[in-house]
Amino acid sequence: MLQKNSIYTVEIEDIGHTGEGVGRIEGFTVFVEGGIPGDIVKIKLKTLKKNYGMGRIIQMLQPSKDRIEPPCSLASTCGGCQIMHMDYKKQLAIKGNRVKEILERIGKVETVVHPTIGMENPYEYRNKSQFPVGMMKGKAILGFYKKGSHDIVATDYCHIQAPINKEVIEVMKEYIEAYKITVYDEKSKKGLIRHVVTKVGFETGEVMVVIITNGKDLPLKDRLVEMLQKKVKGLKSIVQNINNKDTNVIFGRETITIYGEDKIVDYIGDLKFHISAQSFFQVNPTQTKVLYEKALAYADLTGEENVFDIYCGIGTISLFLAKKAKKVVGVEVVDAAIKDAKENARINDINNTEFYVGEAEVVIPELYEKGLKADIVVVDPPRKGCEEKVLETIVKMNPRRVVYVSCNPASLARDLAYLEEKGYKTVEVQPVDMFPHTAHVESVCKLSRNSNGLKE
Ligand code: SAH
């Protein structure tokens, strides 16, 4: 029987879904933050629950051969990256193995899982950044929240974000310090500047800076605009967003454009997208293209198909597919995303898409009742996966292929198991690394209707 606060030696064997190391003591599962597979560590058991424990490393007895010196000096304190101290090839291997293992264990799905597609340069890949703003010893700081807290870790340069942020951070600090602008304090709820958000078009080089303020009056606004204009190459838009609420939600309701446009433009492949302060856009456009091209390949369209894109967001996948399909129907619960999807179809001259707002579990059965047909169905649900009603209706629609894009292997395993039971076969799975140095893994799966399945 293990004892809380006792010291144990553990070999880390795996990485859990939030990036923590996983090992076993006398067969009992223990999570060890900062541990990576191959490490042998001495830990103090800080938490002991019925089915697992959590330990803190007190001594590294033997480091894993995959352990590297992370390029970022903040890697162990900042909450952004969890596994930057692991060799990138190993990160990819672990992600692929996790997908395969979870599909087999939870879903009993035996299929081909291809090696994870990684990035050639797994740095500076994020096109969107959100910096909380604070004060430390009389100096302005922008940075990230520490793991599990709201203390700010100051940064001047983040290795996974667009490099232009360096200039934005510099200017914001200069402006705050030179003009004695106050910064928001979560405890007293006083102070003006709360967050700075940046968005960058990787293909176009266009930059948007969003300044989130507690109050409407932004002193010496024109001076700030000038300073940003001078330093930030590609600056197309500066937006102020007002958030007076005592909340962790970054954005408030009111948005004012204080310089240039209210949006920037970027491309994924040859598709053009408008990105506004609050619209959703994939944060790693390079890998998004890889993922969606795979989805398109798995859909294997001839131009004759009616396609459903369920959980379509701003319609990225729908538009990718529309060029090769007869018609694409997109369904999504967020009204603003559907507005963007329609706008994105329009600016790309795509006329064979239809978008519906609503919960997929309500809208899809309605569309089916109305007699809409699907030859191919693509789903890209949130972490919890598809509602059973959605899967049930897909099966009724009887498409010859289902392409499942997933950010969570556990819900994916459950949903694939359901579809396999109803006459589909998971032919192959391609994991794609959308978020290097974090524990996330995205997968795209191709399912085909069995020729000897229940439906034919
Ligand atoms: N394929 C999309 C992103 C999908 S992310 C793109 O390319 O942009 C998952 C999406 O599912 C989110 O946009 C989320 O708003 C939406 N969503 C969540 N629950 C939903 C539900 N019950 N019905 C429909 N859409 C839902």
Side-chain angles (χ1 to χ4, degrees):
M1 188 61 193
L2 304 191
Q3 298 288 331
K4 196 174 153 182
N5 288 327
S6 291
I7 311 290
Y8 296 94
T9 297
V10 195
E11 172 161 4
I12 307 300
E13 294 162 5
D14 205 352
I15 288 286
H17 74 278
T18 56
E20 69 285 12
V22 186
R24 268 175 194 76
I25 308 171
E26 297 162 25
F28 192 77
T29 302
V30 179
F31 297 104
V32 181
E33 199 186 301
I36 66 168
D39 283 342
I40 300 177
V41 289
K42 204 174 252 187
I43 62 152
K44 183 165 185 177
L45 196 63
K46 300 296 284 180
T47 308
L48 185 58
K49 292 272 159 79
K50 203 167 138 224
N51 297 319
Y52 68 93
M54 277 159 37
R56 189 165 52 80
I57 299 180
I58 52 170
Q59 193 188 351
M60 174 64 69
L61 297 174
Q62 190 185 311
S64 162
K65 64 175 179 16
D66 299 309
R67 195 170 260 285
I68 58 157
E69 188 59 42
C72 177
S73 60
L74 303 174
S76 61
T77 35
C78 165
C81 296
Q82 296 90 40
I83 52 172
M84 200 179 235
H85 52 298
M86 192 192 300
D87 175 65
Y88 186 55
K89 283 212 177 72
K90 183 70 181 179
Q91 292 183 22
L92 297 176
I94 288 222
K95 291 182 186 193
N97 289 342
R98 182 154 91 240
V99 172
K100 189 165 175 58
E101 190 267 324
I102 291 177
L103 290 187
E104 285 173 6
R105 181 166 49 83
I106 299 183
K108 309 277 175 273
V109 176
E110 298 282 342
T111 186
V112 180
V113 178
H114 299 291
T116 310
I117 303 178
M119 299 189 77
E120 215 166 288
N121 171 23
Y123 296 99
E124 299 184 342
Y125 63 80
R126 281 188 70 99
N127 59 8
K128 175 187 161 190
S129 315
Q130 315 189 128
F131 303 103
V133 184
M135 271 295 185
M136 202 193 279
K137 297 184 184 138
K139 295 267 180 213
I141 54 169
L142 280 82
F144 306 101
Y145 290 130
K146 253 187 210 163
K147 280 182 187 145
S149 99
H150 269 205
D151 295 343
I152 301 172
V153 186
T155 184
D156 290 319
Y157 167 71
C158 167
H159 291 254
I160 63 165
Q161 297 186 344
I164 194 73
N165 284 325
K166 212 164 149 244
E167 277 72 37
V168 177
I169 292 175
E170 236 173 74
V171 171
M172 289 310 300
K173 291 204 294 197
E174 210 178 301
Y175 161 75
I176 292 168
E177 286 172 17
Y179 302 112
K180 311 245 173 318
I181 310 294
T182 57
V183 303
Y184 184 70
D185 172 42
E186 281 185 350
K187 286 199 192 86
S188 66
K189 306 177 195 15
K190 293 213 168 65
L192 184 64
I193 313 251
R194 296 177 71 128
H195 271 85
V196 174
V197 172
T198 65
K199 297 193 173 191
V200 181
F202 273 28
E203 291 294 324
T204 57
E206 295 186 7
V207 179
M208 169 185 275
V209 178
V210 188
I211 297 150
I212 292 125
T213 55
N214 171 35
K216 198 158 180 173
D217 183 33
L218 186 59
L220 295 152
K221 196 188 302 182
D222 297 345
R223 185 70 197 109
L224 174 62
V225 169
E226 252 172 60
M227 289 164 78
L228 284 167
Q229 255 182 311
K230 207 165 134 200
K231 276 265 177 70
V232 180
K233 213 173 136 234
L235 186 69
K236 274 275 167 350
S237 162
I238 308 176
V239 170
Q240 182 187 355
N241 173 272
I242 298 152
N243 186 358
N244 293 337
K245 290 209 177 120
D246 173 18
T247 168
N248 285 338
V249 177
I250 295 180
F251 279 89
R253 281 241 178 110
E254 196 182 346
T255 305
I256 312 164
T257 306
I258 57 179
Y259 165 78
E261 309 271 320
D262 61 354
K263 58 179 175 296
I264 56 168
V265 172
D266 201 17
Y267 288 83
I268 294 179
D270 49 14
L271 287 173
K272 183 177 182 178
F273 294 91
H274 281 172
I275 305 163
S276 62
Q278 292 196 63
S279 67
F280 172 83
F281 191 62
Q282 280 71 18
V283 299
N284 182 340
T286 313
Q287 292 298 84
T288 298
K289 178 164 181 275
V290 171
L291 183 74
Y292 291 174
E293 272 174 355
K294 202 41 136 180
L296 181 63
Y298 282 174
D300 195 15
L301 301 173
T302 63
E304 295 303 312
E305 295 84 358
N306 289 309
V307 181
F308 271 68
D309 177 14
I310 309 178
Y311 311 94
C312 71
I314 60 162
T316 328
I317 300 181
S318 315
L319 301 180
F320 249 76
L321 299 172
K323 294 192 284 183
K324 300 252 170 82
K326 187 159 132 206
K327 186 173 121 186
V328 180
V329 174
V331 178
E332 158 65 45
V333 75
V334 175
D335 191 26
I338 286 292
K339 287 206 178 84
D340 286 346
K342 288 180 179 164
E343 168 78 356
N344 289 329
R346 189 187 63 75
I347 63 175
N348 286 289
D349 290 324
I350 291 175
N351 303 311
N352 57 339
T353 51
E354 266 171 32
F355 292 101
Y356 294 89
V357 188
E359 289 174 323
E361 54 276 27
V362 176
V363 175
I364 296 294
E366 278 172 10
L367 295 177
Y368 172 69
E369 290 301 324
K370 274 195 200 148
L372 263 75
K373 295 260 179 328
D375 302 302
I376 309 285
V377 171
V378 179
V379 295
D380 183 5
R383 282 196 70 75
K384 66 177 179 166
C386 298
E387 294 288 330
E388 192 167 319
K389 192 83 199 157
V390 173
L391 296 175
E392 187 189 307
T393 315
I394 291 173
V395 171
K396 282 190 197 153
M397 286 180 161
N398 198 20
R400 69 170 178 271
R401 199 149 28 255
V402 176
V403 178
Y404 195 131
V405 181
S406 161
C407 58
N408 179 2
S411 57
L412 173 68
R414 180 201 65 205
D415 291 352
L416 292 186
Y418 181 96
L419 291 169
E420 293 223 329
E421 202 188 293
K422 306 284 181 191
Y424 285 83
K425 167 81 193 128
T426 310
V427 183
E428 53 189 311
V429 177
Q430 177 63 65
V432 177
D433 190 25
M434 301 286 278
F435 307 101
H437 316 298
T438 75
H440 296 282
V441 57
E442 195 95 8
S443 311
V444 52
C445 315
K446 173 175 168 178
L447 288 95
S448 284
R449 193 170 53 199
N450 283 341
S451 50
N452 57 353
L454 303 177
K455 299 298 297 181
E456 298 222 328

